[in-house]
Amino acid sequence: QCLLPSYAPLIPPGVAEQPSVAEMTVSAFQTSSMLIKCDPRGCKEFACRAMFRGDVQRGDVIAPVAVMSKHLHIVDWAPRGLQTVISPRAPFAVPGGDLARVSKACCALSN
């Protein structure tokens, strides 16, 4: 058992595209967005949380999270499933760093 952190969007500097909340949500739960090398397919999670930052509205989050909840393998005895949090503060980009400045982001944590 370990904590599986992931982050979306992983966009290099200079790319102008800003993904939608739905695209970020799906991307955050893909193995390519995980910050550790792990393949959780076939494993069950005890807890899962999607944390959104920036220009994200509650209405934009409901449908993508409902879709992702159906695809996650959460233990039967965990009644809450996928929890969400929204912070209005924009994600911070490190000057000269590897990631582009974006107006919204999603960090997912599961165990």
Side-chain angles (χ1 to χ4, degrees), residues 33-51:
S33 294
M34 292 190 176
L35 302 177
I36 60 173
K37 188 171 179 140
C38 179
D39 187 2
R41 296 176 291 190
C43 298
K44 288 194 172 194
E45 280 104 0
F46 293 113
C48 194
R49 178 166 282 198
M51 298 170 284

Side-chain angles (χ1 to χ4, degrees), residues 24-110:
M24 279 190 324
T25 306
V26 170
S27 179
F29 289 96
Q30 293 177 344
T31 55
S32 61
S33 294
M34 292 190 176
L35 302 177
I36 60 173
K37 188 171 179 140
C38 179
D39 187 2
R41 296 176 291 190
C43 298
K44 288 194 172 194
E45 280 104 0
F46 293 113
C48 194
R49 178 166 282 198
M51 298 170 284
F52 296 91
R53 260 190 109 137
D55 186 22
V56 178
Q57 303 302 316
R58 186 56 139 171
D60 298 337
V61 171
I62 294 171
V65 167
V67 170
M68 286 310 302
S69 293
K70 293 177 185 175
H71 295 288
L72 294 173
H73 302 286
I74 298 175
V75 293
D76 299 333
W77 47 265
R80 303 204 87 192
L82 175 59
Q83 298 176 342
T84 59
V85 175
I86 299 174
S87 171
R89 295 185 123 197
F92 182 77
V94 176
D98 295 343
L99 298 176
R101 178 178 223 119
V102 293
S103 62
K104 56 189 170 236
C106 177
C107 177
L109 293 173
S110 59

